[in-house]
Every structure is written in structure tokens, then in C-alpha cells.
Amino acid sequence: MTDAKYDYDLFVIGAGSGGTRAARVSAAHGARVAVAEEYRVGGTCVIRGCVPKKLLVYGAHFAEDLADARRFGWDVPDCSFDWKVLTGNVFEEVDRINKAYTATLETHGAEIIHERAELTGPNNVRLASGREVTAKYILIASGARPHIPTCPGHEYGITSNEAFHLDSVPRRILIAGAGYIANEFAGIFHELGAEVTLINRSDQILRGYDEQIRDRLLQISMTKGLQFRFNAKFEGIEQQADGALKVSMSNHAPIEVDCVMFATGRVPNTENLGLDAAGVETNEKGAVKVDEDSRSNVPSIYAVGDVTDRIQLTPVAIREGQAFADTVFGNKPTRVDYHCVPAAVFSHPQMAGVGMTESQAKQKHGSVKVYVSDFRPMKNVLAGRNERALYKMICDGETNKILGIHMIGPEAAEILQAAAVAVKAGLTKDAFDQTVALHPTMAEELVLMK
Ligand code: NDP
């Protein structure tokens, strides 16, 4: 497999989830691998995404747990919260995982080059130091970055990247966008005591999720005191004499806050990557165009993960990296199956879904049966928390095959992962009916739906 004509068999640009998996597995298959990473090994998920975010979600949720504990007999004194303690511990955990990722690459013999890399040809890369290297294959795994609207004063705003590094929890925060990141950080900051306002250009949150489920999140969030402004196009930020930020938007009065966060989608990192020099084509969003094998129009250049803008989720990038390595270096051609990829929003409470939403199923199948369980989890009842969970199962009207499951409620993501196996396996509702309930749980609602 090794071709002495080149310095490496594989050169990976970006040591995030997809790049690291591809590099490690390719090296294990015997390839001579180098990975260039200009920031930190681990990429968005480990360093400034899924991992630290989930830890903040856990940290924030104690606000509700501590309040609820009193109803369960605990004498909880008035507690105070220290943002620096939480973020300090989160950064320590991030460092630990970053080291583990680095060690994994090194023990498999992949060389890590801590520099920015740029393509200069189909088999050529130039490093920031000026060193030129050649590789039989190049894998672009440079990820994506937050989109920042071009409006006056945008420089006063932060993104999720900076949110972890705030000195304190802002007293008032405005979040632009109403997707995953907006709803997750809105929940975190609200639980930690901030006044939170979400503004979105459209009239809905979490476009693409099941309507009833996202309506439930909206209703619960509003009841908790989060503010929403819809059909509000971001117009600009002006800093006031006292340091406050005045945000203007269409159709609504301006709002004064202490922090503005943009959560308006993520754009592929393809700028200044030398794609033109190598002849690599991108789509209208700037993402690298790839085929089912993650191969670009240049046969020696592949791309995986967010830079391809297929499904921007870590487990998908990891699968793409694995499939690339197995196909190109493992003599085991593999393609990623994008059907029934589960997803979750780590809001308070969580939302999770797999497969088609009710409206998607109706459009595709015409006749569908929808089973619903709308219930108040027993823990919420005792806690006096008036927050209802909602589970939906969408089935084919004729065969009863499950087309999708969507839910909102405590631990929805944990529950849905198991249910996603059934949907992926193509089971029917009967399989759920035949399964005895595990009582008392929230998950038992899945096998008791009428
Ligand atoms: P999303 O695509 O989830 O949401 C983007 C939001 O910003 C939407 O409300 C959208 O409005 C709005 N928007 C999009 N473009 C613009 C624009 N040009 N100007 C103003 N508003 C705009 O993106 P996120 O940034 O929240 O997250 C990026 C991706 O990262 C997600 O799609 C997801 O794949 C991944 N992610 C996954 C998480 C998880 O698995 N739990 C957590 C965080 C991120 P509308 O659509 O209503 O028009």
C-alpha cells in the first residue's frame, strides 16, 4: 500500500472527530499518516462543542434539581453558583480528553503536526512553516465555524466558541437564532440566572423537528421565563455609554442586554485551504462536494465531517472517517448509511428524535398513524413542576412500521438512543406493544402508547 513516491500515504487536515478517527484507523491499517491541526486535537466536539456544552447543561440543571430536592425532603439551604468553578472543571475535563485523543493518534503511529495546512495540488500540502509535503491521499476534515451575520456592531457579539470563556454569567443575554445551539445555551444561561431572549428570523424554533415537540419546548421555555422574538431579522448592535449592548431587529423594539450570542448556523471551513489550487469543487454553501465514498472531484482528495455539510453531527463525522479509512486503506469498502440518524437537543427539558416527523411522514406516505403519550413525569408531579413530557410514534398507516419517534422530556436523549435501534431495525408498533413495560419509568410510555 505504501508508495515511496510520497512523504505520507495519508495527510489529514484537521484533528476533530472525523479526522482523528480516519487518521487513527488508517494508521492501524498500515498507512503512514500525518495530521495537521492548527488549534487543539479534538476539534469542535471536544474542545468547544458537544463535550463542554453537555457539562454546562449538567451544571445548569442543578438549579432545577436543587429546587425540586426540597419537595423530596431535602433541606437545601440557599445555594450560590460559581461560574468559574464550573468552567474551570470543564476545561480540565476538556484537557483530559484532548490528551487522550492526542495519545490515541500517537500510539497508532500517526504524526501530529501542530500547524495550519493548505493544499497546493492534488497530492501536495504546504504547512504554515513553509514546509511542503506530499501524500498519496489527502483528507479534508477541517470542520465548520459559527456563522456571524454581517451587520453593524457584529464585533460586539460572541459565538458558542467564546461562551465557555465568559468571565461570568451575563445578567441579560440575547441569542440570535433558534436552532440547536441557541436553545441549548438559552437553557444553560436561563438555569444559571440570566434573563434570556432568543430572536429568530423565522416564526419558529428548531426548524425540521416535529412541530408538536418543538411547540412543547417553546411553551415550557416561555413558562420558565425565556423571551422569544420571531420574524426578527438581526439589524445591528450599538454599544451604550454604560457598556450595555443595544440590539436592533426588524418588527420589534430594540433590546438592551449585556451579551449577544450568535447561533445562526455553522459554515464549512474551506476558506484559504487551497481548494482552488488543488481543483477541489465546493457547493453554494462553500462545503466540499463529495460522493458516497466521501471522495471529492479530485480522486486523491477526500473530505469528511462538517466541512462537507451533510449531517453536522459528531457521530456522523466519526462514521465517515471510519468508512474512509476502511475503504481506502483497510480493503473493506464501506459507505455511511444516513438513514435514521438520531439527534437530540440538550435543552431543559431535552428533545430527541429519529426518523420522519409527522408532517414528513404524511407527505411521503399519505396514510400514517400517530401514537402519542402526553404525560407528567412522576418526578415532576411530586416536585410540583408543571412540565409535561410528550412522546410521539409515527407509523405507516398500512403496515404499522415505525417511521419516526420524537420526544421531549427529562432524559429524552438517553431514552431515544435505545428506541432508535428499533426504528433503524424497521420494527412495527406491534413489537413495542408486545414488550412488557418497565415500571415505573418514563420510557415505559413508549410501549404503552395508544
Ligand atoms: P441550526 O441550523 O440548528 O440553527 C440555526 C438558526 O439560525 C435557525 O434558527 C435559523 O433560522 C437561524 N439562521 C440560519 N441562518 C441565518 C442567517 N443567515 N441569519 C439569521 N439567522 C439565521 O444551527 P446552530 O448554529 O444552532 O448549530 C449548527 C449545527 O451544529 C446544527 O445544525 C447541528 O447539526 C449541530 N449541533 C448539534 C448539536 C446536538 O447534536 N445536540 C448541538 C449543537 C450544534 P430558521 O431556520 O428558523 O430560518
Side-chain angles (χ1 to χ4, degrees):
M1 166 216 309
T2 289
D3 191 337
K5 210 165 97 187
Y6 301 103
D7 299 327
Y8 300 100
D9 300 314
L10 172 65
F11 195 95
V12 181
I13 301 180
S17 301
T20 300
R21 174 59 67 94
R24 170 169 77 72
V25 177
S26 300
H29 286 317
R32 294 170 305 144
V33 180
V35 195
E37 171 56 58
E38 62 178 333
Y39 187 49
R40 295 181 71 190
V41 171
T44 298
C45 175
V46 171
I47 308 296
R48 40 180 137 59
C50 330
V51 170
K53 180 275 315 282
K54 182 78 186 277
L55 292 171
L56 291 193
V57 169
Y58 279 130
H61 202 73
F62 277 102
E64 288 185 17
D65 293 337
L66 286 165
D68 292 352
R70 295 190 172 106
R71 289 279 306 161
F72 286 83
W74 290 92
D75 176 15
V76 182
D78 282 342
C79 298
S80 62
F81 168 75
D82 190 329
W83 169 254
K84 286 283 183 190
V85 172
L86 174 59
T87 51
N89 290 338
V90 168
F91 294 147
E92 268 179 33
E93 178 59 8
V94 166
D95 287 348
R96 188 188 67 76
I97 304 176
N98 160 254
K99 286 196 185 88
Y101 264 58
T102 306
T104 258
L105 285 171
E106 286 171 349
T107 52
H108 283 83
E111 180 186 338
I112 305 172
I113 301 172
H114 291 282
E115 286 181 55
R116 186 174 167 79
E118 204 181 302
L119 301 169
T120 50
N123 302 94
N124 308 73
V125 172
R126 186 172 49 229
L127 297 165
S129 57
R131 187 179 142 206
E132 308 259 354
V133 297
T134 58
K136 187 171 181 189
Y137 295 104
I138 295 170
L139 179 71
I140 304 170
S142 50
R145 63 179 187 284
H147 161 262
I148 298 176
T150 47
C151 60
H154 65 79
E155 64 279 8
Y156 293 116
I158 64 164
T159 68
S160 54
N161 290 351
E162 293 76 39
F164 300 101
H165 299 279
L166 289 169
D167 285 334
S168 56
V169 175
R171 188 168 69 79
R172 301 163 300 178
I173 183 167
L174 178 141
I175 302 180
Y180 281 81
I181 296 178
N183 281 285
E184 293 183 341
F185 275 91
I188 291 167
F189 286 123
H190 170 76
E191 298 277 316
L192 297 180
E195 276 174 34
V196 180
T197 306
L198 255 85
I199 74 165
N200 199 25
R201 61 180 180 182
S202 71
D203 60 356
Q204 51 188 283
I205 65 168
L206 289 158
R207 187 153 54 89
Y209 261 86
D210 189 89
E211 260 173 56
Q212 252 179 302
I213 302 290
R214 56 187 157 89
D215 279 356
R216 178 63 55 93
L217 178 65
L218 180 62
Q219 174 239 314
I220 292 174
S221 300
M222 287 169 72
T223 307
K224 283 182 173 165
L226 283 93
Q227 304 276 326
F228 291 83
R229 302 274 185 280
F230 291 114
N231 300 310
K233 193 170 164 291
F234 205 94
E235 287 178 345
I237 310 174
E238 269 175 72
Q239 190 167 41
Q240 307 295 286
D242 63 357
L245 302 173
K246 186 172 165 189
V247 180
S248 319
M249 65 203 84
S250 61
N251 297 320
H252 298 271
I255 300 179
E256 245 184 51
V257 291
D258 305 296
C259 182
V260 176
M261 177 170 152
F262 295 113
T264 47
R266 295 176 60 84
V267 286
N269 280 327
T270 46
E271 277 166 19
N272 305 320
L273 208 56
L275 297 184
D276 288 345
V280 176
E281 284 175 10
T282 53
N283 69 13
E284 63 293 343
K285 288 185 179 165
V288 177
K289 275 201 219 168
V290 287
D291 65 14
E292 281 180 293
D293 292 313
S294 295
R295 195 174 208 161
S296 78
N297 61 307
V298 179
S300 56
I301 301 181
Y302 289 69
V304 295
D306 288 0
V307 76
T308 63
D309 198 21
R310 285 175 280 185
I311 301 182
Q312 290 185 331
L313 293 176
T314 296
V316 173
I318 290 173
R319 289 209 168 209
E320 289 168 354
Q322 177 84 39
F324 160 81
D326 287 343
T327 303
V328 177
F329 295 107
N331 201 21
K332 190 178 145 202
T334 312
R335 283 182 173 166
V336 176
D337 175 2
Y338 295 94
H339 176 62
C340 278
V341 173
V345 183
F346 293 99
S347 41
H348 300 261
Q350 298 175 5
M351 282 172 51
V354 64
M356 282 183 235
T357 63
E358 182 178 344
S359 59
Q360 286 166 348
K362 278 182 175 154
Q363 267 179 20
K364 181 139 192 253
H365 290 258
S367 146
V368 298
K369 277 192 212 151
V370 180
Y371 301 91
V372 175
S373 178
D374 188 338
F375 64 102
R376 202 165 157 213
M378 126 196 247
K379 185 165 172 249
N380 285 357
V381 176
L382 195 77
R385 186 172 288 283
N386 191 17
E387 216 177 279
R388 297 182 73 80
L390 179 65
Y391 292 4
K392 282 178 79 171
M393 186 181 281
I394 292 111
C395 299
D396 184 292
E398 276 149 37
T399 63
N400 236 3
K401 184 178 161 188
I402 305 167
L403 303 173
I405 296 181
H406 301 272
M407 50 172 66
I408 179 168
E411 307 300 346
E414 303 287 349
I415 296 166
L416 185 95
Q417 176 69 82
V421 177
V423 182
K424 179 74 187 154
L427 298 189
T428 61
K429 166 90 167 47
D430 309 332
F432 277 71
D433 293 342
Q434 285 155 16
T435 305
V436 175
L438 206 165
H439 185 71
T441 61
M442 293 179 285
E444 70 179 310
E445 295 298 326
L446 283 172
V447 299
L448 299 173
M449 283 189 196
K450 294 281 176 268

